[in-house]
């Protein structure tokens, strides 16, 4: 445990350093930022031994604490995974710089010209859990978009995160990057997070990436704007006009490809007019894939081996091979269910009827709505952004996958010739 006075002093020094660096980053050309990122990637490639040694300490501590095999796998670094992290940094250098774009321009009758121009947000506070690669991914995206970043990883990956952050920061500084551009908070105490969330004089935006409990804690404590993603309760609605093979393929992909991710399907809604024909084939496929179905009473009567759903199932994010399923009398009722129980993440309709498709896409209040496609596409790479720092279920300031553009804001540059009001 570190005493709170020392912790607070250190955090304020980190914040002031980041703020000073952000002013330089905001005016650094893309070619120079890319040089820093390439230097970081090279440093990672030449530092495998020290990174793997630090990760081995975290792995040993994780095993001693009884971490699950899935969590240990998320924590593990290997030479191939480190190479993947450095390659991801190199890829960021190929993306278009989001800073300095003229978003709109207007000339007023008095001759004043007003340009709306994209600029960095400033200092990003990034709080995350588990995967050490996020340390580097977040730093790379923030730097490319001209932002300084203060990172706070989970205690389970402390040694790995510290080593990765030092590696890329030292390499960037050696290549000319300002010293406060990439920093990682060197404390595992929960008090450090609480203090960080009150540093509104230095930090402009908080982005938490982790479980719902972490994000709710951040939102409750922060005096800084937060872009959040509580959970992904994603739906597939199978309309009475749906092609059954297409619906089954989309549901299987949405649930079974990677059940533990936020864009996986958690609830299937089936139009009651087709339930008698669709449910048996659907239930058979899910049984084959090892998926437990928790169904409404009318669905229970249409297939064997289903479990009864409770009210809690309609808002559950299972992150495992479990699906809630019920029938609805119309597309309007499907939309009403989704807007009541969903999380505003990603929802899909399978239908041939253009009016049903249009109604669903217009009235479902989610960040991503799909017509005849899997919810698994909600991802920065799949959206053509190249990379993402997270997925937002907020409506302000970003919504859905957050790429480089979502790490910028804008300001107005006004050009005159002596005009006064």
């Amino acid at each position: 445990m570190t005493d709170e006075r020392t912790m607070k002093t250190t955090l304020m020094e980190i914040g002031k350093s980041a703020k000073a660096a952000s002013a330089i980053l905001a005016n650094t050309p893309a070619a120079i930022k890319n040089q820093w990122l390439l230097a970081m990637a090279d440093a990672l490639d030449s530092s495998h031994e020290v990174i793997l040694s630090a990760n081995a300490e975290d792995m040993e501590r994780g095993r001693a604490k009884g971490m699950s095999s899935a969590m240990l796998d998320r924590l593990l670094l290997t030479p191939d995974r480190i190479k993947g992290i450095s390659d991801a940094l190199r890829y960021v250098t190929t993306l278009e710089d989001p800073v300095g774009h003229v978003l709109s321009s207007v000339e007023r009758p008095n001759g004043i010209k007003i340009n709306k121009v994209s600029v960095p947000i400033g200092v990003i506070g990034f709080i995350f859990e588990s995967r050490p690669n996020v340390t580097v991914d977040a730093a790379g995206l923030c730097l490319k978009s001209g932002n300084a970043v203060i990172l706070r990883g989970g205690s389970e990956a402390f040694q790995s995160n510290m080593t990765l952050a030092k590696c890329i920061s030292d390499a960037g500084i050696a290549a000319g990057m300002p010293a406060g551009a990439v920093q990682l908070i060197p404390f595992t105490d929960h008090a450090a997070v609480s203090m960080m969330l009150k540093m509104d004089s230095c930090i402009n935006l908080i982005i938490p990436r982790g479980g719902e409990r972490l994000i709710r804690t951040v939102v409750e404590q922060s005096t800084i704007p937060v872009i959040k993603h509580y959970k992904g309760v994603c739906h597939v609605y199978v309309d009475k006009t749906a092609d059954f093979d297409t619906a089954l393929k989309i549901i299987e992909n949405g649930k079974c490809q990677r059940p533990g991710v936020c864009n996986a399907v958690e609830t299937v809604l089936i139009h009651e007019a087709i339930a008698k024909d669709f449910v048996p084939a659907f239930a058979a496929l899910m049984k084959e894939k090892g998926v437990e179905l928790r169904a409404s009473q009318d669905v229970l009567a249409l297939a064997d081996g289903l479990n009864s759903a409770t009210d809690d199932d309609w808002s559950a994010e299972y992150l495992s091979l479990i699906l809630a399923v019920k029938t609805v009398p119309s597309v309007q009722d499907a939309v009403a269910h989704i807007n009541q129980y969903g999380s505003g993440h990603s929802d899909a309709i399978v239908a041939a009827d253009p009016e049903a498709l249009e109604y669903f896409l217009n009235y479902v209040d989610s960040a991503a709505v799909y017509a005849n496609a899997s919810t698994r596409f909600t991802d920065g790479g799949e959206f053509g952004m190249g990379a993402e720092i997270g997925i937002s279920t907020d409506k302000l300031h970003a919504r859905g996958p957050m790429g480089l553009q979502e790490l910028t804001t804008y300001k107005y540059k006004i050009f005159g010739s002596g005009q006064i009001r």
Side-chain angles (χ1 to χ4, degrees), residues 74-89:
R74 293 175 72 180
L75 178 59
L76 177 66
L77 291 175
T78 65
D80 283 346
R81 288 184 177 185
I82 296 171
K83 182 64 165 58
I85 295 170
S86 62
D87 285 347
L89 269 185

Side-chain angles (χ1 to χ4, degrees), residues 212 216 230-235 255 262 264-269 294 309-319 322-326 336-345 347:
E212 184 178 2
R216 290 201 180 278
Y230 286 127
K231 57 184 179 180
V233 182
C234 303
H235 299 73
K255 179 77 272 183
C262 62
V265 174
E266 304 292 16
T267 298
V268 172
L269 304 173
R294 298 183 182 178
T310 69
D311 286 344
D312 291 340
D313 285 305
W314 308 128
S315 57
E317 183 185 34
Y318 300 114
L319 301 176
I322 304 173
L323 262 179
V325 55
K326 70 174 293 187
H337 177 98
I338 292 168
N339 287 342
Q340 179 177 352
Y341 295 105
S343 60
H345 195 295
D347 300 289

